[in-house]
Amino acid sequence: MTGFDPAVFGPPSVRVGTSEREQAAAALGEHFAAGRLDVTEYDDRVGRAYTAKTVAELTPLFADLPRPQPAAGRLTSPGSRSWPPMAVLIMGAVLLFAIVSAVTTHFFPFFLFPLIIIGIFRARRGGGYRRSPRYHRM
C-alpha cells in the first residue's frame, strides 16, 4: 500500500496543494478498497480532503487508519527465480552458434531445439533436481 502520510508534508500550518489533496484522496481510495472505510465515510473524507487547505485539515482524515508501510521487496516463489548468469551465457552461445551455422551453411541445426528447450526449463527451475519443501525431514 502506498498510502498517504501527512507528517511528510511538515508542520500542521503548512498549506497543501492539489497534488497533496489528490494523494490523500487516492490513499483514502486504497483504504476503502481494503474495506477499512464504508461508502459514507469514504465520501465524507474524500470531500474533506479536496477542501483541505493545510496539513492540519488532512491529518484527522487518517488518524484512525494504519500508517503506510514501506513497499516490501517483490515476493518470489521458488519457481520464479531469475536466470543464472551462466545459463544466460550458455543459451546465448548456443543461439549464436545456431544463427552463424544457419547463415554460413544454409542449414539450420534443428538438433539444437531440444537443447534450447531443456536449457530454458532448467534455468527457470534453478537447475538440477530440488526436493519440494513440504517433504523435507526434520
Side-chain angles (χ1 to χ4, degrees):
M1 176 174 83
T2 56
F4 177 81
D5 190 5
V8 172
F9 296 105
S13 61
V14 172
R15 291 182 66 90
V16 293
T18 304
S19 66
E20 289 87 4
R21 290 184 199 104
E22 289 174 353
Q23 285 178 353
L28 289 169
E30 290 177 8
H31 288 293
F32 175 68
R36 295 185 191 103
L37 298 172
D38 63 18
V39 176
T40 56
E41 286 178 313
Y42 172 72
D43 288 340
D44 176 52
R45 292 183 192 210
V46 168
R48 289 177 21 207
Y50 278 118
T51 60
K53 301 262 190 255
T54 63
V55 173
E57 294 174 27
L58 288 178
T59 303
L61 302 178
F62 297 93
D64 60 341
L65 297 172
R67 289 275 203 200
Q69 300 297 320
R74 188 178 70 122
L75 298 176
T76 59
S77 64
S80 65
R81 296 186 182 116
S82 63
W83 288 45
M86 188 57 126
V88 172
L89 183 64
I90 291 171
M91 293 302 296
V94 169
L95 187 61
L96 182 63
F97 172 74
I99 291 171
V100 168
S101 174
V103 170
T104 57
T105 64
H106 302 290
F107 173 75
F108 189 79
F110 292 102
F111 64 89
L112 292 178
F113 278 133
L115 294 176
I116 292 171
I117 292 170
I118 289 169
I120 289 171
F121 283 122
R122 286 186 57 90
R124 294 183 98 198
R125 281 189 23 201
Y129 173 77
R130 295 188 191 270
R131 181 178 281 183
S132 175
R134 29 179 196 174
Y135 298 114
H136 71 280
R137 292 184 185 211
M138 295 194 148

